[in-house]
């Protein structure tokens, strides 16, 4: 019982870290990355779809993303979707290929992106703390129902707290790395 609760908390915390990494990947730095367009939604075939389902995305140069549509009828909608995503990017349509130049970030925009990173990191910390709370509640309930001993509950509460501390440190480390990337000129 105790192992299952601890494993569940560990898995959920790990998934939170993975989700945070994906979110950080969508935040612009000075360099081109295909992940910048992960949040772009495109109207294609009568429905909204993620960009990566209607095109391939590559970054052949440090300041350029190239989007190649699978179907040339979706090129216009892809360009509109990139503009509508509010990423500060202006796609250039060239036949079936869309070139997205990545402009240099000014100081004000960098600070805004850092604030966005801090917000995402705080959301990650809150999610991890909520997972800790859930695990602690399950452990206390199991002890109350006499499914585990009080000693096992206390040991497990300590393990869950250590897991929480480790994952929050990981969030802080990821934030530091991303903040450095954004502020680099």
């Amino acid at each position: 019982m105790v192992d299952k609760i601890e494993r569940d908390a560990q898995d959920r915390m790990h998934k939170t870290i993975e989700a945070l990494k994906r979110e950080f990947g969508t935040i612009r730095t000075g360099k081109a990355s295909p992940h910048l367009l992960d949040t772009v939604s495109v109207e294609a075939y009568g429905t909204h779809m993620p960009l990566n389902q209607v095109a391939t995305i590559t970054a052949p140069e440090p300041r350029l993303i190239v989007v190649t549509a699978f179907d040339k009828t979706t090129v216009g909608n892809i360009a509109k979707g990139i503009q509508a995503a509010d990423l500060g990017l202006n796609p250039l349509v060239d036949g079936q290929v869309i070139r997205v130049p990545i402009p240099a970030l000014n100081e004000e925009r960098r600070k805004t992106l850092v604030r966005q990173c801090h917000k995402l990191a705080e959301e990650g910390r809150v999610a991890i703390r909520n997972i800790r709370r859930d695990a602690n509640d399950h452990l206390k309930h199991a002890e109350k129902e006499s499914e585990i001993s009080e000693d096992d509950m206390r040991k497990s509460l300590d393990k869950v707290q250590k897991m929480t501390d480790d994952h929050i440190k990981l969030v802080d480390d990821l934030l530091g790395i991303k903040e450095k990337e954004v502020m680099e000129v």
Side-chain angles (χ1 to χ4, degrees):
M1 179 76 173
V2 170
D3 289 342
K4 182 182 178 300
I5 294 170
E6 288 173 3
R7 251 192 333 272
D8 180 53
Q10 179 80 29
D11 290 345
R12 289 175 59 200
M13 286 181 188
H14 183 70
K15 287 177 184 171
T16 301
I17 295 295
E18 292 304 312
L20 183 63
K21 285 179 183 177
R22 281 192 304 276
E23 289 288 328
F24 277 168
T26 65
I27 292 179
R28 236 178 95 183
T29 59
K31 297 178 190 139
S33 165
H35 295 297
L36 287 176
L37 302 179
D38 282 354
T39 59
V40 175
S41 178
V42 176
E43 189 168 327
Y45 315 113
T47 184
H48 281 279
M49 303 174 77
L51 176 60
N52 62 7
Q53 290 185 4
V54 295
T56 56
I57 306 164
T58 58
E61 299 173 25
R63 294 233 179 254
L64 180 70
I65 296 175
V66 175
V67 180
T68 308
F70 297 144
D71 179 0
K72 61 183 167 192
T73 62
T74 61
V75 171
N77 288 346
I78 290 172
K80 285 180 192 169
I82 292 170
Q83 284 180 321
D86 195 30
L87 296 170
L89 302 174
N90 290 315
L92 306 169
V93 178
D94 181 15
Q96 198 166 336
V97 174
I98 301 163
R99 298 181 197 293
V100 185
I102 306 296
L105 296 171
N106 62 24
E107 190 66 24
E108 184 180 326
R109 181 70 177 142
R110 288 178 194 278
K111 288 179 181 177
T112 302
L113 292 173
V114 167
R115 280 194 298 274
Q116 188 178 352
C117 289
H118 280 272
K119 182 175 178 257
L120 290 172
E122 185 54 33
E123 288 171 4
R125 288 185 204 102
V126 168
I128 288 169
R129 289 183 195 119
N130 286 340
I131 294 166
R132 173 189 62 192
R133 185 197 61 222
D134 291 346
N136 288 350
D137 289 348
H138 286 299
L139 289 167
K140 289 174 184 172
H141 180 76
E143 192 267 336
K144 186 177 177 186
E145 297 294 319
S146 300
E147 295 172 12
I148 61 172
S149 69
E150 188 175 341
D151 285 346
D152 288 342
M153 179 192 71
R154 295 222 181 277
K155 285 178 195 169
S156 238
L157 288 174
D158 290 343
K159 271 188 186 175
V160 169
Q161 183 60 49
K162 180 168 178 10
M163 264 189 271
T164 303
D165 294 342
D166 292 346
H167 283 84
I168 286 180
K169 182 181 180 334
L170 200 51
V171 167
D172 293 339
D173 293 347
L174 289 171
L175 174 62
I177 291 167
K178 188 64 179 185
E179 192 172 346
K180 186 175 177 230
E181 280 178 19
V182 170
M183 293 309 287
E184 279 180 0
V185 176

PDB file of all heavy atoms in Angstrom, residues 85-108:
ATOM      1  N   ALA A  85      -0.691  32.847 -33.199  1.00  0.00           N
ATOM      2  CA  ALA A  85      -0.179  32.246 -31.957  1.00  0.00           C
ATOM      3  C   ALA A  85       0.457  33.270 -31.027  1.00  0.00           C
ATOM      4  O   ALA A  85       0.852  32.932 -29.916  1.00  0.00           O
ATOM      5  CB  ALA A  85       0.829  31.156 -32.284  1.00  0.00           C
ATOM      6  N   ASP A  86       0.579  34.511 -31.453  1.00  0.00           N
ATOM      7  CA  ASP A  86       1.106  35.596 -30.626  1.00  0.00           C
ATOM      8  C   ASP A  86       2.515  35.292 -30.108  1.00  0.00           C
ATOM      9  O   ASP A  86       2.817  35.467 -28.942  1.00  0.00           O
ATOM     10  CB  ASP A  86       0.145  35.882 -29.457  1.00  0.00           C
ATOM     11  CG  ASP A  86       0.458  37.215 -28.792  1.00  0.00           C
ATOM     12  OD1 ASP A  86       0.947  38.121 -29.483  1.00  0.00           O
ATOM     13  OD2 ASP A  86       0.228  37.328 -27.571  1.00  0.00           O
ATOM     14  N   LEU A  87       3.347  34.823 -31.024  1.00  0.00           N
ATOM     15  CA  LEU A  87       4.736  34.527 -30.681  1.00  0.00           C
ATOM     16  C   LEU A  87       5.677  35.626 -31.170  1.00  0.00           C
ATOM     17  O   LEU A  87       6.886  35.547 -30.994  1.00  0.00           O
ATOM     18  CB  LEU A  87       5.162  33.183 -31.304  1.00  0.00           C
ATOM     19  CG  LEU A  87       4.428  31.946 -30.818  1.00  0.00           C
ATOM     20  CD1 LEU A  87       4.771  30.743 -31.680  1.00  0.00           C
ATOM     21  CD2 LEU A  87       4.741  31.670 -29.365  1.00  0.00           C
ATOM     22  N   GLY A  88       5.116  36.634 -31.825  1.00  0.00           N
ATOM     23  CA  GLY A  88       5.945  37.714 -32.357  1.00  0.00           C
ATOM     24  C   GLY A  88       6.720  37.287 -33.594  1.00  0.00           C
ATOM     25  O   GLY A  88       7.790  37.814 -33.860  1.00  0.00           O
ATOM     26  N   LEU A  89       6.167  36.325 -34.343  1.00  0.00           N
ATOM     27  CA  LEU A  89       6.840  35.814 -35.534  1.00  0.00           C
ATOM     28  C   LEU A  89       6.034  36.163 -36.783  1.00  0.00           C
ATOM     29  O   LEU A  89       4.805  36.127 -36.760  1.00  0.00           O
ATOM     30  CB  LEU A  89       6.999  34.294 -35.441  1.00  0.00           C
ATOM     31  CG  LEU A  89       7.757  33.766 -34.230  1.00  0.00           C
ATOM     32  CD1 LEU A  89       7.704  32.249 -34.184  1.00  0.00           C
ATOM     33  CD2 LEU A  89       9.194  34.252 -34.246  1.00  0.00           C
ATOM     34  N   ASN A  90       6.735  36.469 -37.877  1.00  0.00           N
ATOM     35  CA  ASN A  90       6.081  36.778 -39.150  1.00  0.00           C
ATOM     36  C   ASN A  90       6.522  35.774 -40.206  1.00  0.00           C
ATOM     37  O   ASN A  90       7.611  35.882 -40.753  1.00  0.00           O
ATOM     38  CB  ASN A  90       6.425  38.202 -39.608  1.00  0.00           C
ATOM     39  CG  ASN A  90       5.769  39.237 -38.726  1.00  0.00           C
ATOM     40  OD1 ASN A  90       4.596  39.112 -38.395  1.00  0.00           O
ATOM     41  ND2 ASN A  90       6.526  40.246 -38.340  1.00  0.00           N
ATOM     42  N   PRO A  91       5.660  34.784 -40.494  1.00  0.00           N
ATOM     43  CA  PRO A  91       6.018  33.762 -41.471  1.00  0.00           C
ATOM     44  C   PRO A  91       6.037  34.316 -42.901  1.00  0.00           C
ATOM     45  O   PRO A  91       5.245  35.190 -43.249  1.00  0.00           O
ATOM     46  CB  PRO A  91       4.912  32.721 -41.302  1.00  0.00           C
ATOM     47  CG  PRO A  91       3.776  33.446 -40.695  1.00  0.00           C
ATOM     48  CD  PRO A  91       4.352  34.569 -39.897  1.00  0.00           C
ATOM     49  N   LEU A  92       6.955  33.800 -43.712  1.00  0.00           N
ATOM     50  CA  LEU A  92       7.061  34.173 -45.115  1.00  0.00           C
ATOM     51  C   LEU A  92       6.748  32.941 -45.952  1.00  0.00           C
ATOM     52  O   LEU A  92       7.455  31.934 -45.864  1.00  0.00           O
ATOM     53  CB  LEU A  92       8.477  34.676 -45.432  1.00  0.00           C
ATOM     54  CG  LEU A  92       9.008  35.802 -44.546  1.00  0.00           C
ATOM     55  CD1 LEU A  92      10.501  36.011 -44.783  1.00  0.00           C
ATOM     56  CD2 LEU A  92       8.243  37.075 -44.803  1.00  0.00           C
ATOM     57  N   VAL A  93       5.671  33.012 -46.763  1.00  0.00           N
ATOM     58  CA  VAL A  93       5.247  31.875 -47.569  1.00  0.00           C
ATOM     59  C   VAL A  93       6.068  31.846 -48.851  1.00  0.00           C
ATOM     60  O   VAL A  93       6.213  32.848 -49.544  1.00  0.00           O
ATOM     61  CB  VAL A  93       3.739  31.960 -47.897  1.00  0.00           C
ATOM     62  CG1 VAL A  93       3.321  30.796 -48.785  1.00  0.00           C
ATOM     63  CG2 VAL A  93       2.920  31.972 -46.617  1.00  0.00           C
ATOM     64  N   ASP A  94       6.622  30.665 -49.150  1.00  0.00           N
ATOM     65  CA  ASP A  94       7.435  30.473 -50.353  1.00  0.00           C
ATOM     66  C   ASP A  94       7.030  29.133 -50.969  1.00  0.00           C
ATOM     67  O   ASP A  94       7.665  28.106 -50.711  1.00  0.00           O
ATOM     68  CB  ASP A  94       8.917  30.502 -49.972  1.00  0.00           C
ATOM     69  CG  ASP A  94       9.845  30.345 -51.159  1.00  0.00           C
ATOM     70  OD1 ASP A  94       9.374  30.504 -52.301  1.00  0.00           O
ATOM     71  OD2 ASP A  94      11.031  30.049 -50.938  1.00  0.00           O
ATOM     72  N   GLY A  95       5.936  29.135 -51.731  1.00  0.00           N
ATOM     73  CA  GLY A  95       5.423  27.889 -52.308  1.00  0.00           C
ATOM     74  C   GLY A  95       4.821  27.019 -51.227  1.00  0.00           C
ATOM     75  O   GLY A  95       3.920  27.443 -50.513  1.00  0.00           O
ATOM     76  N   GLN A  96       5.342  25.800 -51.097  1.00  0.00           N
ATOM     77  CA  GLN A  96       4.838  24.873 -50.074  1.00  0.00           C
ATOM     78  C   GLN A  96       5.636  24.993 -48.776  1.00  0.00           C
ATOM     79  O   GLN A  96       5.349  24.332 -47.796  1.00  0.00           O
ATOM     80  CB  GLN A  96       4.901  23.442 -50.617  1.00  0.00           C
ATOM     81  CG  GLN A  96       4.038  22.466 -49.858  1.00  0.00           C
ATOM     82  CD  GLN A  96       3.868  21.159 -50.608  1.00  0.00           C
ATOM     83  OE1 GLN A  96       4.001  21.088 -51.810  1.00  0.00           O
ATOM     84  NE2 GLN A  96       3.554  20.112 -49.863  1.00  0.00           N
ATOM     85  N   VAL A  97       6.636  25.864 -48.782  1.00  0.00           N
ATOM     86  CA  VAL A  97       7.503  26.050 -47.617  1.00  0.00           C
ATOM     87  C   VAL A  97       7.193  27.398 -46.966  1.00  0.00           C
ATOM     88  O   VAL A  97       6.970  28.395 -47.645  1.00  0.00           O
ATOM     89  CB  VAL A  97       8.986  26.000 -48.050  1.00  0.00           C
ATOM     90  CG1 VAL A  97       9.903  26.325 -46.897  1.00  0.00           C
ATOM     91  CG2 VAL A  97       9.317  24.641 -48.627  1.00  0.00           C
ATOM     92  N   ILE A  98       7.181  27.402 -45.652  1.00  0.00           N
ATOM     93  CA  ILE A  98       6.987  28.643 -44.902  1.00  0.00           C
ATOM     94  C   ILE A  98       8.244  28.881 -44.094  1.00  0.00           C
ATOM     95  O   ILE A  98       8.656  28.043 -43.293  1.00  0.00           O
ATOM     96  CB  ILE A  98       5.761  28.537 -43.970  1.00  0.00           C
ATOM     97  CG1 ILE A  98       4.507  28.253 -44.796  1.00  0.00           C
ATOM     98  CG2 ILE A  98       5.597  29.807 -43.153  1.00  0.00           C
ATOM     99  CD1 ILE A  98       3.359  27.732 -43.995  1.00  0.00           C
ATOM    100  N   ARG A  99       8.873  30.024 -44.326  1.00  0.00           N
ATOM    101  CA  ARG A  99      10.080  30.389 -43.585  1.00  0.00           C
ATOM    102  C   ARG A  99       9.666  31.329 -42.456  1.00  0.00           C
ATOM    103  O   ARG A  99       8.946  32.293 -42.682  1.00  0.00           O
ATOM    104  CB  ARG A  99      11.085  31.071 -44.501  1.00  0.00           C
ATOM    105  CG  ARG A  99      11.546  30.174 -45.617  1.00  0.00           C
ATOM    106  CD  ARG A  99      12.562  30.859 -46.518  1.00  0.00           C
ATOM    107  NE  ARG A  99      12.731  30.196 -47.792  1.00  0.00           N
ATOM    108  CZ  ARG A  99      13.255  29.012 -47.975  1.00  0.00           C
ATOM    109  NH1 ARG A  99      13.679  28.321 -46.953  1.00  0.00           N
ATOM    110  NH2 ARG A  99      13.356  28.485 -49.176  1.00  0.00           N
ATOM    111  N   VAL A 100      10.152  31.025 -41.263  1.00  0.00           N
ATOM    112  CA  VAL A 100       9.819  31.847 -40.100  1.00  0.00           C
ATOM    113  C   VAL A 100      11.125  32.389 -39.523  1.00  0.00           C
ATOM    114  O   VAL A 100      11.805  31.702 -38.763  1.00  0.00           O
ATOM    115  CB  VAL A 100       9.053  31.027 -39.033  1.00  0.00           C
ATOM    116  CG1 VAL A 100       8.610  31.922 -37.895  1.00  0.00           C
ATOM    117  CG2 VAL A 100       7.867  30.295 -39.640  1.00  0.00           C
ATOM    118  N   PRO A 101      11.484  33.622 -39.904  1.00  0.00           N
ATOM    119  CA  PRO A 101      12.705  34.209 -39.335  1.00  0.00           C
ATOM    120  C   PRO A 101      12.487  34.531 -37.855  1.00  0.00           C
ATOM    121  O   PRO A 101      11.422  34.982 -37.450  1.00  0.00           O
ATOM    122  CB  PRO A 101      12.925  35.473 -40.155  1.00  0.00           C
ATOM    123  CG  PRO A 101      11.670  35.717 -40.903  1.00  0.00           C
ATOM    124  CD  PRO A 101      10.834  34.479 -40.870  1.00  0.00           C
ATOM    125  N   ILE A 102      13.512  34.275 -37.071  1.00  0.00           N
ATOM    126  CA  ILE A 102      13.443  34.533 -35.633  1.00  0.00           C
ATOM    127  C   ILE A 102      14.172  35.846 -35.360  1.00  0.00           C
ATOM    128  O   ILE A 102      15.399  35.902 -35.428  1.00  0.00           O
ATOM    129  CB  ILE A 102      14.099  33.395 -34.812  1.00  0.00           C
ATOM    130  CG1 ILE A 102      13.504  32.043 -35.197  1.00  0.00           C
ATOM    131  CG2 ILE A 102      13.994  33.658 -33.319  1.00  0.00           C
ATOM    132  CD1 ILE A 102      12.043  31.889 -34.884  1.00  0.00           C
ATOM    133  N   PRO A 103      13.415  36.904 -35.059  1.00  0.00           N
ATOM    134  CA  PRO A 103      14.074  38.185 -34.785  1.00  0.00           C
ATOM    135  C   PRO A 103      14.795  38.153 -33.435  1.00  0.00           C
ATOM    136  O   PRO A 103      14.437  37.384 -32.541  1.00  0.00           O
ATOM    137  CB  PRO A 103      12.920  39.186 -34.766  1.00  0.00           C
ATOM    138  CG  PRO A 103      11.707  38.379 -34.470  1.00  0.00           C
ATOM    139  CD  PRO A 103      11.968  36.992 -34.972  1.00  0.00           C
ATOM    140  N   ALA A 104      15.806  38.981 -33.324  1.00  0.00           N
ATOM    141  CA  ALA A 104      16.523  39.098 -32.048  1.00  0.00           C
ATOM    142  C   ALA A 104      15.570  39.674 -31.004  1.00  0.00           C
ATOM    143  O   ALA A 104      14.708  40.494 -31.314  1.00  0.00           O
ATOM    144  CB  ALA A 104      17.740  39.986 -32.218  1.00  0.00           C
ATOM    145  N   LEU A 105      15.723  39.225 -29.774  1.00  0.00           N
ATOM    146  CA  LEU A 105      14.858  39.711 -28.694  1.00  0.00           C
ATOM    147  C   LEU A 105      15.426  41.002 -28.111  1.00  0.00           C
ATOM    148  O   LEU A 105      16.625  41.093 -27.867  1.00  0.00           O
ATOM    149  CB  LEU A 105      14.780  38.661 -27.580  1.00  0.00           C
ATOM    150  CG  LEU A 105      14.132  37.329 -27.952  1.00  0.00           C
ATOM    151  CD1 LEU A 105      14.337  36.343 -26.820  1.00  0.00           C
ATOM    152  CD2 LEU A 105      12.663  37.516 -28.224  1.00  0.00           C
ATOM    153  N   ASN A 106      14.535  41.973 -27.863  1.00  0.00           N
ATOM    154  CA  ASN A 106      14.998  43.169 -27.166  1.00  0.00           C
ATOM    155  C   ASN A 106      14.931  42.925 -25.659  1.00  0.00           C
ATOM    156  O   ASN A 106      14.358  41.938 -25.193  1.00  0.00           O
ATOM    157  CB  ASN A 106      14.194  44.408 -27.594  1.00  0.00           C
ATOM    158  CG  ASN A 106      12.715  44.292 -27.248  1.00  0.00           C
ATOM    159  OD1 ASN A 106      12.336  43.551 -26.351  1.00  0.00           O
ATOM    160  ND2 ASN A 106      11.887  45.031 -27.957  1.00  0.00           N
ATOM    161  N   GLU A 107      15.516  43.813 -24.897  1.00  0.00           N
ATOM    162  CA  GLU A 107      15.622  43.632 -23.431  1.00  0.00           C
ATOM    163  C   GLU A 107      14.247  43.503 -22.770  1.00  0.00           C
ATOM    164  O   GLU A 107      14.050  42.666 -21.894  1.00  0.00           O
ATOM    165  CB  GLU A 107      16.402  44.815 -22.838  1.00  0.00           C
ATOM    166  CG  GLU A 107      16.786  44.617 -21.386  1.00  0.00           C
ATOM    167  CD  GLU A 107      17.788  43.492 -21.159  1.00  0.00           C
ATOM    168  OE1 GLU A 107      18.532  43.145 -22.089  1.00  0.00           O
ATOM    169  OE2 GLU A 107      17.831  42.960 -20.039  1.00  0.00           O
ATOM    170  N   GLU A 108      13.307  44.331 -23.201  1.00  0.00           N
ATOM    171  CA  GLU A 108      11.969  44.304 -22.605  1.00  0.00           C
ATOM    172  C   GLU A 108      11.291  42.954 -22.848  1.00  0.00           C
ATOM    173  O   GLU A 108      10.679  42.372 -21.949  1.00  0.00           O
ATOM    174  CB  GLU A 108      11.127  45.434 -23.203  1.00  0.00           C
ATOM    175  CG  GLU A 108       9.742  45.549 -22.589  1.00  0.00           C
ATOM    176  CD  GLU A 108       8.950  46.685 -23.214  1.00  0.00           C
ATOM    177  OE1 GLU A 108       9.541  47.716 -23.580  1.00  0.00           O
ATOM    178  OE2 GLU A 108       7.724  46.515 -23.329  1.00  0.00           O
TER     179      GLU A 108
END
